[in-house]
mmCIF file with all atom_site columns, all heavy atoms in Angstrom:
data_model
loop_
_atom_site.group_PDB
_atom_site.id
_atom_site.type_symbol
_atom_site.label_atom_id
_atom_site.label_alt_id
_atom_site.label_comp_id
_atom_site.label_asym_id
_atom_site.label_entity_id
_atom_site.label_seq_id
_atom_site.pdbx_PDB_ins_code
_atom_site.Cartn_x
_atom_site.Cartn_y
_atom_site.Cartn_z
_atom_site.occupancy
_atom_site.B_iso_or_equiv
_atom_site.pdbx_formal_charge
_atom_site.auth_seq_id
_atom_site.auth_comp_id
_atom_site.auth_asym_id
_atom_site.auth_atom_id
_atom_site.pdbx_PDB_model_num
ATOM 1   N N   . HIS M 1 211 ? -4.085 -21.104 -19.487 1.00 0.00 ? 396 HIS M N   1
ATOM 2   C CA  . HIS M 1 211 ? -5.301 -20.790 -18.753 1.00 0.00 ? 396 HIS M CA  1
ATOM 3   C C   . HIS M 1 211 ? -5.277 -19.298 -18.394 1.00 0.00 ? 396 HIS M C   1
ATOM 4   O O   . HIS M 1 211 ? -4.273 -18.792 -17.994 1.00 0.00 ? 396 HIS M O   1
ATOM 5   C CB  . HIS M 1 211 ? -5.405 -21.655 -17.413 1.00 0.00 ? 396 HIS M CB  1
ATOM 6   C CG  . HIS M 1 211 ? -6.782 -21.644 -16.824 1.00 0.00 ? 396 HIS M CG  1
ATOM 7   N ND1 . HIS M 1 211 ? -7.223 -20.514 -16.051 1.00 0.00 ? 396 HIS M ND1 1
ATOM 8   C CD2 . HIS M 1 211 ? -7.787 -22.507 -16.777 1.00 0.00 ? 396 HIS M CD2 1
ATOM 9   C CE1 . HIS M 1 211 ? -8.331 -20.724 -15.595 1.00 0.00 ? 396 HIS M CE1 1
ATOM 10  N NE2 . HIS M 1 211 ? -8.797 -21.942 -16.036 1.00 0.00 ? 396 HIS M NE2 1
ATOM 11  N N   . PRO M 1 212 ? -6.409 -18.635 -18.533 1.00 0.00 ? 397 PRO M N   1
ATOM 12  C CA  . PRO M 1 212 ? -6.464 -17.156 -18.256 1.00 0.00 ? 397 PRO M CA  1
ATOM 13  C C   . PRO M 1 212 ? -5.925 -16.778 -16.889 1.00 0.00 ? 397 PRO M C   1
ATOM 14  O O   . PRO M 1 212 ? -5.247 -15.755 -16.710 1.00 0.00 ? 397 PRO M O   1
ATOM 15  C CB  . PRO M 1 212 ? -7.910 -16.778 -18.477 1.00 0.00 ? 397 PRO M CB  1
ATOM 16  C CG  . PRO M 1 212 ? -8.436 -17.870 -19.411 1.00 0.00 ? 397 PRO M CG  1
ATOM 17  C CD  . PRO M 1 212 ? -7.741 -19.111 -19.068 1.00 0.00 ? 397 PRO M CD  1
ATOM 18  N N   . ASP M 1 213 ? -6.253 -17.546 -15.874 1.00 0.00 ? 398 ASP M N   1
ATOM 19  C CA  . ASP M 1 213 ? -5.861 -17.228 -14.485 1.00 0.00 ? 398 ASP M CA  1
ATOM 20  C C   . ASP M 1 213 ? -4.370 -17.457 -14.316 1.00 0.00 ? 398 ASP M C   1
ATOM 21  O O   . ASP M 1 213 ? -3.701 -16.670 -13.607 1.00 0.00 ? 398 ASP M O   1
ATOM 22  C CB  . ASP M 1 213 ? -6.603 -18.095 -13.476 1.00 0.00 ? 398 ASP M CB  1
ATOM 23  C CG  . ASP M 1 213 ? -8.077 -17.749 -13.361 1.00 0.00 ? 398 ASP M CG  1
ATOM 24  O OD1 . ASP M 1 213 ? -8.415 -16.578 -13.731 1.00 0.00 ? 398 ASP M OD1 1
ATOM 25  O OD2 . ASP M 1 213 ? -8.905 -18.635 -12.979 1.00 0.00 ? 398 ASP M OD2 1
ATOM 26  N N   . VAL M 1 214 ? -3.814 -18.414 -15.032 1.00 0.00 ? 399 VAL M N   1
ATOM 27  C CA  . VAL M 1 214 ? -2.303 -18.640 -14.934 1.00 0.00 ? 399 VAL M CA  1
ATOM 28  C C   . VAL M 1 214 ? -1.595 -17.499 -15.624 1.00 0.00 ? 399 VAL M C   1
ATOM 29  O O   . VAL M 1 214 ? -0.579 -16.961 -15.175 1.00 0.00 ? 399 VAL M O   1
ATOM 30  C CB  . VAL M 1 214 ? -1.991 -20.030 -15.591 1.00 0.00 ? 399 VAL M CB  1
ATOM 31  C CG1 . VAL M 1 214 ? -0.430 -20.126 -15.615 1.00 0.00 ? 399 VAL M CG1 1
ATOM 32  C CG2 . VAL M 1 214 ? -2.548 -21.126 -14.760 1.00 0.00 ? 399 VAL M CG2 1
ATOM 33  N N   . ILE M 1 215 ? -2.122 -17.078 -16.821 1.00 0.00 ? 400 ILE M N   1
ATOM 34  C CA  . ILE M 1 215 ? -1.515 -15.941 -17.584 1.00 0.00 ? 400 ILE M CA  1
ATOM 35  C C   . ILE M 1 215 ? -1.553 -14.707 -16.707 1.00 0.00 ? 400 ILE M C   1
ATOM 36  O O   . ILE M 1 215 ? -0.551 -13.980 -16.598 1.00 0.00 ? 400 ILE M O   1
ATOM 37  C CB  . ILE M 1 215 ? -2.272 -15.753 -18.874 1.00 0.00 ? 400 ILE M CB  1
ATOM 38  C CG1 . ILE M 1 215 ? -2.036 -16.925 -19.837 1.00 0.00 ? 400 ILE M CG1 1
ATOM 39  C CG2 . ILE M 1 215 ? -1.829 -14.473 -19.538 1.00 0.00 ? 400 ILE M CG2 1
ATOM 40  C CD1 . ILE M 1 215 ? -2.883 -16.880 -21.082 1.00 0.00 ? 400 ILE M CD1 1
ATOM 41  N N   . ARG M 1 216 ? -2.657 -14.568 -16.052 1.00 0.00 ? 401 ARG M N   1
ATOM 42  C CA  . ARG M 1 216 ? -2.838 -13.300 -15.246 1.00 0.00 ? 401 ARG M CA  1
ATOM 43  C C   . ARG M 1 216 ? -1.860 -13.332 -14.049 1.00 0.00 ? 401 ARG M C   1
ATOM 44  O O   . ARG M 1 216 ? -1.234 -12.340 -13.713 1.00 0.00 ? 401 ARG M O   1
ATOM 45  C CB  . ARG M 1 216 ? -4.300 -13.208 -14.721 1.00 0.00 ? 401 ARG M CB  1
ATOM 46  C CG  . ARG M 1 216 ? -4.638 -11.895 -13.983 1.00 0.00 ? 401 ARG M CG  1
ATOM 47  C CD  . ARG M 1 216 ? -6.128 -11.743 -14.056 1.00 0.00 ? 401 ARG M CD  1
ATOM 48  N NE  . ARG M 1 216 ? -6.847 -12.803 -13.393 1.00 0.00 ? 401 ARG M NE  1
ATOM 49  C CZ  . ARG M 1 216 ? -7.279 -12.713 -12.062 1.00 0.00 ? 401 ARG M CZ  1
ATOM 50  N NH1 . ARG M 1 216 ? -7.095 -11.683 -11.392 1.00 0.00 ? 401 ARG M NH1 1
ATOM 51  N NH2 . ARG M 1 216 ? -7.953 -13.757 -11.586 1.00 0.00 ? 401 ARG M NH2 1
ATOM 52  N N   . VAL M 1 217 ? -1.778 -14.466 -13.320 1.00 0.00 ? 402 VAL M N   1
ATOM 53  C CA  . VAL M 1 217 ? -0.909 -14.512 -12.137 1.00 0.00 ? 402 VAL M CA  1
ATOM 54  C C   . VAL M 1 217 ? 0.544  -14.415 -12.530 1.00 0.00 ? 402 VAL M C   1
ATOM 55  O O   . VAL M 1 217 ? 1.358  -13.802 -11.766 1.00 0.00 ? 402 VAL M O   1
ATOM 56  C CB  . VAL M 1 217 ? -1.193 -15.760 -11.318 1.00 0.00 ? 402 VAL M CB  1
ATOM 57  C CG1 . VAL M 1 217 ? -0.540 -17.025 -11.896 1.00 0.00 ? 402 VAL M CG1 1
ATOM 58  C CG2 . VAL M 1 217 ? -0.709 -15.580 -9.863  1.00 0.00 ? 402 VAL M CG2 1
ATOM 59  N N   . LEU M 1 218 ? 0.989  -14.930 -13.649 1.00 0.00 ? 403 LEU M N   1
ATOM 60  C CA  . LEU M 1 218 ? 2.319  -14.834 -14.107 1.00 0.00 ? 403 LEU M CA  1
ATOM 61  C C   . LEU M 1 218 ? 2.651  -13.336 -14.397 1.00 0.00 ? 403 LEU M C   1
ATOM 62  O O   . LEU M 1 218 ? 3.801  -12.897 -14.214 1.00 0.00 ? 403 LEU M O   1
ATOM 63  C CB  . LEU M 1 218 ? 2.585  -15.681 -15.352 1.00 0.00 ? 403 LEU M CB  1
ATOM 64  C CG  . LEU M 1 218 ? 2.670  -17.201 -15.028 1.00 0.00 ? 403 LEU M CG  1
ATOM 65  C CD1 . LEU M 1 218 ? 2.745  -17.956 -16.364 1.00 0.00 ? 403 LEU M CD1 1
ATOM 66  C CD2 . LEU M 1 218 ? 3.702  -17.524 -14.115 1.00 0.00 ? 403 LEU M CD2 1
ATOM 67  N N   . GLN M 1 219 ? 1.668  -12.600 -14.945 1.00 0.00 ? 404 GLN M N   1
ATOM 68  C CA  . GLN M 1 219 ? 1.886  -11.184 -15.189 1.00 0.00 ? 404 GLN M CA  1
ATOM 69  C C   . GLN M 1 219 ? 2.078  -10.418 -13.884 1.00 0.00 ? 404 GLN M C   1
ATOM 70  O O   . GLN M 1 219 ? 2.984  -9.554  -13.725 1.00 0.00 ? 404 GLN M O   1
ATOM 71  C CB  . GLN M 1 219 ? 0.722  -10.589 -15.902 1.00 0.00 ? 404 GLN M CB  1
ATOM 72  C CG  . GLN M 1 219 ? 0.645  -11.056 -17.385 1.00 0.00 ? 404 GLN M CG  1
ATOM 73  C CD  . GLN M 1 219 ? -0.671 -10.584 -18.028 1.00 0.00 ? 404 GLN M CD  1
ATOM 74  O OE1 . GLN M 1 219 ? -1.644 -10.228 -17.430 1.00 0.00 ? 404 GLN M OE1 1
ATOM 75  N NE2 . GLN M 1 219 ? -0.636 -10.531 -19.416 1.00 0.00 ? 404 GLN M NE2 1
ATOM 76  N N   . HIS M 1 220 ? 1.326  -10.815 -12.842 1.00 0.00 ? 405 HIS M N   1
ATOM 77  C CA  . HIS M 1 220 ? 1.484  -10.218 -11.547 1.00 0.00 ? 405 HIS M CA  1
ATOM 78  C C   . HIS M 1 220 ? 2.855  -10.518 -10.908 1.00 0.00 ? 405 HIS M C   1
ATOM 79  O O   . HIS M 1 220 ? 3.475  -9.726  -10.258 1.00 0.00 ? 405 HIS M O   1
ATOM 80  C CB  . HIS M 1 220 ? 0.345  -10.585 -10.577 1.00 0.00 ? 405 HIS M CB  1
ATOM 81  C CG  . HIS M 1 220 ? -0.934 -9.882  -10.883 1.00 0.00 ? 405 HIS M CG  1
ATOM 82  N ND1 . HIS M 1 220 ? -1.134 -8.594  -10.603 1.00 0.00 ? 405 HIS M ND1 1
ATOM 83  C CD2 . HIS M 1 220 ? -2.118 -10.374 -11.371 1.00 0.00 ? 405 HIS M CD2 1
ATOM 84  C CE1 . HIS M 1 220 ? -2.372 -8.172  -11.003 1.00 0.00 ? 405 HIS M CE1 1
ATOM 85  N NE2 . HIS M 1 220 ? -2.981 -9.313  -11.424 1.00 0.00 ? 405 HIS M NE2 1
ATOM 86  N N   . ILE M 1 221 ? 3.273  -11.807 -11.052 1.00 0.00 ? 406 ILE M N   1
ATOM 87  C CA  . ILE M 1 221 ? 4.569  -12.215 -10.551 1.00 0.00 ? 406 ILE M CA  1
ATOM 88  C C   . ILE M 1 221 ? 5.646  -11.392 -11.226 1.00 0.00 ? 406 ILE M C   1
ATOM 89  O O   . ILE M 1 221 ? 6.611  -10.929 -10.575 1.00 0.00 ? 406 ILE M O   1
ATOM 90  C CB  . ILE M 1 221 ? 4.783  -13.728 -10.782 1.00 0.00 ? 406 ILE M CB  1
ATOM 91  C CG1 . ILE M 1 221 ? 3.853  -14.518 -9.834  1.00 0.00 ? 406 ILE M CG1 1
ATOM 92  C CG2 . ILE M 1 221 ? 6.213  -14.132 -10.579 1.00 0.00 ? 406 ILE M CG2 1
ATOM 93  C CD1 . ILE M 1 221 ? 3.855  -16.014 -10.068 1.00 0.00 ? 406 ILE M CD1 1
ATOM 94  N N   . LYS M 1 222 ? 5.517  -11.205 -12.506 1.00 0.00 ? 407 LYS M N   1
ATOM 95  C CA  . LYS M 1 222 ? 6.552  -10.378 -13.293 1.00 0.00 ? 407 LYS M CA  1
ATOM 96  C C   . LYS M 1 222 ? 6.555  -8.988  -12.769 1.00 0.00 ? 407 LYS M C   1
ATOM 97  O O   . LYS M 1 222 ? 7.664  -8.394  -12.631 1.00 0.00 ? 407 LYS M O   1
ATOM 98  C CB  . LYS M 1 222 ? 6.193  -10.449 -14.763 1.00 0.00 ? 407 LYS M CB  1
ATOM 99  C CG  . LYS M 1 222 ? 7.263  -9.701  -15.595 1.00 0.00 ? 407 LYS M CG  1
ATOM 100 C CD  . LYS M 1 222 ? 6.892  -9.784  -17.052 1.00 0.00 ? 407 LYS M CD  1
ATOM 101 C CE  . LYS M 1 222 ? 7.899  -9.056  -17.960 1.00 0.00 ? 407 LYS M CE  1
ATOM 102 N NZ  . LYS M 1 222 ? 7.506  -9.057  -19.382 1.00 0.00 ? 407 LYS M NZ  1
#
Side-chain angles (χ1 to χ4, degrees):
H396 193 284
D398 290 336
V399 175
I400 293 173
R401 186 159 61 98
V402 77
L403 289 176
Q404 290 174 340
H405 283 292
I406 288 173
K407 184 180 179 181

